[in-house]
Amino acid sequence: MDAPATDRPMLALLLRLGGIAGIATMAALIKLASDRGVHIAEIIFWRQGIAIPILLAYALTRGGPGILRTARPRAHLVRSLYGFFGMVLNFGAVILLPLAEATTFSFTAPLWAVILSTLILHERVGVWRWSSVIVGFVGVLVIAQPGGHAIPLGGAAAALGGAFMVALISLHIRDLGRTEQAVTIVFWFAAFSTLLVLPALPFSMRAHAPGDYLLLVGIGVAGTLGQLLITAALRFGEVSSVIVMDYSSLVWATLYGWLFFAVLPPAATWIGAPLIIVAGTIIAWRERVLRKQVVVGTAPPTGT
């Protein structure tokens, strides 16, 4: 059977790599901005506020602003509430933790997705994926070293909470994606979350040096372009095929941590990170296998 016209796996991988580089750059700029005294509420405002004109311009290239219309504003609002809370946690983790550790903990999103799929979607999960979840969280314990105070446990909790929210949001986006285009979902998230952060600005916004504003603009541009490239990758390849590129963010986080903050990951991170990455990769592989079995109409084997 011929592959669909949109099936261009190499392009999908390159787009995903570019998108991950953009998100990793955004994380480094967030940490730099926070170190210069910019409040997290202001960082979120600039991140999402700058996204709106960029997305409007993008919509013009895809057929006009009409593609941003939606018949499901309530669903977008719920997605935005989840996303806003997740953004606070993930940005907080970047601020509180070294970049490599914050990035590594974000890789636990597939582990949380397995747990949520059983609780919310009532999917049957077998030995392969449950074993991966256990291995992944062993990696978390190795890095966090609870009781050893190797890294701030508050930051670790924020990072794990942020990854949980990413998994929860992915389930919600899966439902939204049945009727909405990706740019529509991203646009309404930016619009609603910008409104959500406005009440905090009078208590957090202040004047900054020109260099600080450049950082804030960079956060908005890098984050939006990264998000668009990640979304575009899914037009040319399956999630289970391109998601392994997400682990390249650890390379960027390590590089930025060394260049900007003179910090390299300790031995515990180099031991724990592969456990989390292997667990996420196995989960992606099993989901791809199961999806193919559904397509050809065969029953999944015992222990999925």
Side-chain angles (χ1 to χ4, degrees):
M1 181 176 177
D2 293 335
T6 56
D7 188 8
R8 300 174 63 184
M10 287 306 298
L11 177 59
L13 293 177
L14 290 173
L15 288 170
R16 191 81 177 193
L17 277 172
I20 293 303
I23 298 299
T25 300
M26 178 193 72
L29 295 178
I30 287 171
K31 194 166 187 66
L32 284 170
S34 176
D35 285 354
R36 292 170 68 100
V38 183
H39 194 276
I40 187 173
E42 193 172 356
I43 292 174
I44 291 173
F45 171 77
W46 282 85
R47 162 64 182 93
Q48 296 298 79
I50 287 177
I52 295 173
I54 294 175
L55 291 168
L56 284 172
Y58 179 77
L60 289 174
T61 69
R62 308 299 301 174
I67 67 172
L68 302 177
R69 292 196 188 97
T70 179
R72 303 178 65 187
R74 182 175 297 180
H76 283 285
L77 177 59
V78 172
R79 180 264 183 272
S80 297
L81 289 171
Y82 289 163
F84 182 78
F85 186 50
M87 186 178 292
V88 171
L89 289 172
N90 283 308
F91 285 16
V94 166
I95 292 168
L96 294 171
L97 295 175
L99 285 174
E101 281 73 10
T103 300
T104 301
F105 283 139
S106 73
F107 296 155
T108 61
L111 315 183
W112 293 115
V114 170
I115 296 171
L116 287 173
S117 68
T118 64
L119 297 176
I120 297 176
L121 302 179
H122 306 292
E123 290 183 3
R124 181 173 172 270
V125 175
V127 174
W128 276 100
R129 285 184 286 174
W130 277 128
S131 299
S132 297
V133 170
I134 293 171
V135 169
F137 281 116
V138 168
V140 170
L141 290 175
V142 169
I143 297 171
Q145 300 180 50
H149 305 293
I151 62 173
L153 292 185
L160 291 173
F164 174 85
M165 292 306 300
V166 168
L168 181 62
I169 291 162
S170 68
L171 297 180
H172 196 71
I173 289 178
R174 186 187 305 179
D175 173 64
L176 269 174
R178 293 185 298 104
T179 60
E180 309 289 275
Q181 295 189 51
V183 65
T184 308
I185 297 172
V186 176
F187 173 81
W188 286 108
F189 171 45
F192 278 130
S193 55
T194 300
L195 293 175
L196 288 171
V197 78
L198 284 179
L201 293 183
F203 308 99
S204 58
M205 185 174 281
R206 62 179 179 82
H208 299 290
D212 297 343
Y213 286 112
L214 286 176
L215 285 175
L216 291 169
V217 171
I219 288 168
V221 173
T224 303
L225 292 181
Q227 198 169 14
L228 286 174
L229 287 172
I230 287 172
T231 301
L234 300 180
R235 295 177 55 213
F236 303 104
E238 296 180 358
V239 175
S240 57
S241 299
V242 301
I243 198 171
V244 293
M245 296 296 101
D246 292 10
Y247 300 125
S248 65
S249 60
L250 184 56
V251 176
W252 289 107
T254 302
L255 178 61
Y256 286 141
W258 175 61
L259 287 176
F260 297 149
F261 308 102
V263 173
L264 286 173
T269 300
W270 292 116
I271 296 171
L275 295 176
I276 298 172
I277 291 172
V278 167
T281 303
I282 292 174
I283 289 170
W285 166 68
R286 288 303 297 169
E287 289 179 349
R288 185 178 187 184
V289 169
L290 295 174
R291 192 177 300 111
K292 287 184 175 179
Q293 290 171 343
V294 169
V295 171
V296 300
T298 59
T302 302
T304 58

